Amino acid sequence: MMRTGDRVCAIVEAGMLRFEPDGAQQFVGATTQVDLDCLEEAFAALPNEQAGIRLRGIEALHSILSPAGSIGRIAASMLGATCRPVRALLFDKTAMTNWSLPWHQDRTIVVTARREVQGFGPWTVKDGLIHVAPPIEILAGMVTARIHLDAVPISNAPLLVAPGSHRFGRIAESDIADMVARCGIAACLAERGDVWLYATPILHASEATAEPRRRRVLQVDFATGFLPGGLEWLGV
């Protein structure tokens, strides 16, 4: 059992999760060694003192994240061959950047320019990129892939998810603890090269690392179709 807030939650076996209906699934060894080497080289020059870096314009990502690439094909297996990456972040948790993350849903997307469209808002700017909270229907049609460049045992702050929570739409902050208690908690352990695929609106959290060591994760959101009212995905 695990406690969240004042609720005691059941532990769910992560290896049993399937994207339908749990909203999360592990793909063991899905990233090729060639692609891992390519990612290592592409990220080598990035600052390592930041917990998270928003990625844009890195050529090496394009083939890997395309629907025919080793990562893109996993997203395409759920969304179809027309899906494309619309946001990428590199999380680099070390002893110097050992953060925790409370239970929440990812609620924003990145667009090329601000346009006032009904149902979209509030707006924010992060690292110079324009973010907006879209209607929940947009998020419900997206998937998120997490590509592990380092092993993530239980002591290295694996992502925690509440299986099935993505099916309940936008969850009010006041209801999150009850929803996690209802759905249970799965700790998404991984080896280097593994990929976890999530329904983007799934409730998730992360604790600080108990035994600080490097834990690099490339996180990529995928979507299909176009946004309304002249809004455009920024892309990767």
Side-chain angles (χ1 to χ4, degrees), residues 48-51 92-99 209:
N48 58 14
E49 69 276 5
Q50 295 178 230
D92 191 353
K93 185 174 285 191
T94 67
M96 299 298 293
T97 56
N98 187 17
W99 73 94
T209 303

Side-chain angles (χ1 to χ4, degrees), residues 56-112:
R56 169 76 174 154
I58 297 179
E59 187 66 30
L61 293 181
H62 294 170
S63 62
I64 297 172
L65 301 181
S66 75
S70 62
I71 307 307
R73 71 166 62 103
I74 296 174
S77 71
M78 302 300 172
L79 296 182
T82 62
C83 76
R84 61 188 184 278
V86 294
R87 177 168 60 176
L89 302 97
L90 177 65
F91 296 114
D92 191 353
K93 185 174 285 191
T94 67
M96 299 298 293
T97 56
N98 187 17
W99 73 94
S100 62
L101 194 66
W103 285 98
H104 70 287
Q105 292 175 296
D106 287 339
R107 294 188 175 182
T108 62
I109 60 174
V110 184
V111 296
T112 57

Side-chain angles (χ1 to χ4, degrees), residues 198-211:
Y198 308 93
T200 299
I202 199 167
L203 281 171
H204 58 285
S206 179
E207 299 176 345
T209 303
E211 301 173 5

Side-chain angles (χ1 to χ4, degrees), residues 103-223:
W103 285 98
H104 70 287
Q105 292 175 296
D106 287 339
R107 294 188 175 182
T108 62
I109 60 174
V110 184
V111 296
T112 57
R114 179 168 178 165
R115 294 177 182 270
E116 298 303 328
V117 178
Q118 185 174 3
F120 285 76
W123 295 81
T124 54
V125 176
K126 303 174 184 177
D127 293 342
L129 303 181
I130 302 171
H131 291 65
V132 63
I136 189 63
E137 293 78 15
I138 300 288
L139 298 171
M142 298 170 60
V143 299
T144 298
R146 284 172 61 92
I147 302 94
H148 291 270
L149 277 69
D150 300 293
V152 186
I154 193 65
S155 61
N156 203 15
L159 195 73
L160 307 174
V161 299
S165 58
H166 66 295
R167 302 195 308 267
F168 295 90
R170 194 182 300 277
I171 301 168
E173 294 288 331
S174 59
D175 294 333
I176 286 178
D178 285 338
M179 183 60 67
V180 173
R182 174 177 178 177
C183 295
I185 296 173
C188 299
L189 309 184
E191 295 296 332
R192 174 175 162 85
D194 288 358
V195 175
W196 273 94
L197 190 72
Y198 308 93
T200 299
I202 199 167
L203 281 171
H204 58 285
S206 179
E207 299 176 345
T209 303
E211 301 173 5
R213 55 178 171 169
R214 204 163 196 191
R215 193 214 67 177
R216 293 165 297 168
V217 177
L218 171 62
Q219 179 172 301
V220 186
D221 294 337
F222 290 84

